[in-house]
Amino acid sequence: SQQGEEDPQALSIQEGENATMNCSYKTSINNLQWYRQNSGRGLVHLILIRSNEREKHSGRLRVTLDTSKKSSSLLITASRAADTASYFCATVWVGDKLIFGTGTRLQVFP
Amino acid sequence: DSGVTQTPKHLITATGQRVTLRCSPRSGDLSVYWYQQSLDQGLQFLIQYYNGEERAKGNILERFSAQQFPDLHSELNLSSLELGDSALYFCASSVPSGGYNEQFFGPGTRLTVL
């Protein structure tokens, strides 16, 4: 079963707007990662945040982590049509296996 | 292109049959992971191999088995197939680092069981 839930399940925005996705998980973690999946294709790693980090940036991406609330958020600024995809958070606790959330489907309209 | 290859891309078969999915990891990656993505279960970790040895096991059914060969490619064998086994099966590879490395995913094999 999945580690956690993502919210919202689906999000539709206009190009140029910001998109925020939230992820909640259930157990302790070593780190949390975000992946993107374009329409039934393979997943692509976006960013990793360690359990002792609170915020991380990569280009237009900003990830926050609150281990006390067992939650993370992914912010995509100035969205583009090419950002249309499903976004998954994945937690790592023991070893290397990824435990995925339910995903958020993002639609960015031109 | 992640550098991870999976064959075949699509597979259509009947209930009760057995199929083999193949994965070639990125050059130099010793770890291979298998994941299943279905509408009702989402993305689930199945099994991990490291340099030929099983390293971790997830929600993998007893009807499923995997192995990693000396050349590091991996195969996932699914037997006595049921309708509910229809899903996308992904292989990923990485350099193991206690979970601090990203995993590189292949394009997946879409299995349809009729």
Side-chain angles (χ1 to χ4, degrees):
Chain A
S1 62
Q2 283 155 320
Q3 162 74 297
E5 301 288 322
E6 289 183 59
D7 170 62
Q9 287 189 356
L11 179 61
S12 294
I13 59 174
Q14 295 290 132
E15 259 190 337
E17 294 180 340
N18 295 341
T20 300
M21 289 159 260
N22 302 297
C23 164
S24 61
Y25 56 91
K26 297 174 184 172
T27 64
S28 298
I29 62 169
N30 181 323
N31 66 75
L32 185 145
Q33 304 179 29
W34 285 88
Y35 284 79
R36 185 182 78 188
Q37 183 181 32
N38 286 80
S39 190
R41 301 181 67 178
L43 289 89
V44 175
H45 181 267
L46 295 176
I47 196 165
L48 181 154
I49 186 164
R50 298 183 179 219
S51 60
N52 61 353
E53 296 177 312
R54 292 296 166 257
E55 188 171 312
K56 203 158 183 183
H57 296 253
S58 176
R60 294 184 296 112
L61 306 180
R62 173 179 165 248
V63 168
T64 62
L65 178 64
D66 187 335
T67 52
S68 67
K69 293 181 180 177
K70 290 187 168 57
S71 68
S72 174
S73 67
L74 171 68
L75 168 67
I76 304 174
T77 59
S79 295
R80 306 166 182 166
D83 294 328
T84 294
S86 290
Y87 292 82
F88 294 88
C89 66
T91 55
V92 178
W93 174 223
V94 176
D96 301 295
K97 66 182 182 184
L98 298 172
I99 305 298
F100 284 92
T102 50
T104 293
R105 288 191 315 278
L106 174 66
Q107 175 82 52
V108 182
F109 291 99
Chain B
D1 184 1
S2 67
V4 178
T5 60
Q6 288 188 250
T7 56
K9 281 188 177 178
H10 302 276
L11 203 45
I12 301 174
T13 189
T15 53
Q17 295 298 304
R18 172 189 168 95
V19 296
T20 297
L21 313 184
R22 183 188 166 101
C23 167
S24 293
R26 288 190 323 155
S27 177
D29 284 354
L30 298 180
S31 259
V32 168
Y33 313 80
W34 286 97
Y35 294 88
Q36 179 196 59
Q37 185 176 32
S38 63
L39 283 175
D40 53 347
Q41 296 291 325
L43 263 165
Q44 289 198 94
F45 167 75
L46 294 178
I47 197 163
Q48 176 195 2
Y49 276 81
Y50 170 72
N51 203 21
E53 300 288 327
E54 182 184 302
R55 175 66 69 94
K57 223 168 182 176
N59 297 323
I60 187 165
L61 299 172
E62 284 191 15
R63 300 183 286 108
F64 297 0
S65 65
Q67 54 185 324
Q68 186 178 28
F69 295 86
D71 66 353
L72 300 179
H73 91 270
S74 178
E75 292 181 357
L76 179 67
N77 300 297
L78 316 176
S79 62
S80 303
L81 285 167
E82 302 175 359
L83 295 177
D85 297 328
S86 295
L88 260 173
Y89 291 85
F90 289 107
C91 165
S93 74
S94 77
V95 177
S97 62
Y100 287 108
N101 274 356
E102 65 180 282
Q103 293 183 18
F104 294 86
F105 281 75
T109 293
R110 184 174 293 278
L111 173 67
T112 303
V113 183
L114 301 175

